[in-house]
Amino acid sequence: MHTILQPEGWAKPVGYANGVAARGQMIFIGGQVGWTGQGQFETDDFVGQVRQTLANIVAVLAEAGAMPEHITSMTWYFTDKAEYLANLKGIGEAYREVIGRHFPAMAAMQVMALVEDRAKVEIQATAVIPD
């Protein structure tokens, strides 16, 4: 569907791709946080918010007729790097549960704060539905 860009001789990344090449209809998903479609947080648990954030991305994708495997890029913003690192196993489980074993190009960074005070994570995504 998409071509993973892995330079020869580079170590294979775990849980993401170094780059992705794709052609087709582009979908840009604004930053999603771990609240429901009605704007309500149901948990302050980091992994719970990640799971809900990913589910929100899948819901937006579905509006365009896209699926998780169409995601080409994700940028993760979180408010606490230590909390993110301490929860990698749970994040991985939530990711595979919602997105599957599709690993697009990704970046992750700690930020001072997110606009929604209860949000611990925000994820922006780009997807391409092939021609």
Side-chain angles (χ1 to χ4, degrees):
M1 181 173 308
H2 302 313
T3 302
I4 301 298
L5 305 175
Q6 178 65 21
E8 187 174 334
W10 282 29
K12 185 176 181 200
V14 177
Y16 67 96
N18 285 307
V20 177
R23 292 177 191 250
Q25 178 187 2
M26 295 185 73
I27 301 161
F28 302 94
I29 301 171
Q32 299 295 307
V33 296
W35 61 15
T36 66
Q38 292 70 46
Q40 301 297 315
F41 285 95
E42 294 181 339
T43 184
D44 290 317
D45 174 70
F46 192 87
V47 173
Q49 285 198 14
V50 166
R51 182 177 284 106
Q52 181 65 55
T53 301
L54 295 170
N56 293 345
I57 289 169
V58 171
V60 174
L61 286 170
E63 285 298 305
M67 298 182 301
E69 56 265 27
H70 295 129
I71 299 171
T72 55
S73 175
M74 301 175 93
T75 303
W76 295 52
Y77 306 92
F78 40 82
T79 57
D80 187 335
K81 177 182 172 184
E83 187 173 25
Y84 171 81
L85 292 173
N87 285 285
L88 285 177
K89 182 178 181 189
I91 291 166
E93 290 169 358
Y95 184 93
R96 289 185 301 277
E97 174 187 312
V98 179
I99 303 296
R101 292 196 172 274
H102 170 69
F103 304 105
M106 290 191 208
M109 65 199 75
Q110 178 177 307
V111 294
M112 284 188 66
L114 297 168
V115 172
E116 297 302 327
D117 288 334
R118 280 185 71 184
K120 295 184 172 205
V121 62
E122 183 169 334
I123 304 173
Q124 184 177 14
T126 302
V128 178
I129 301 174
D131 291 331

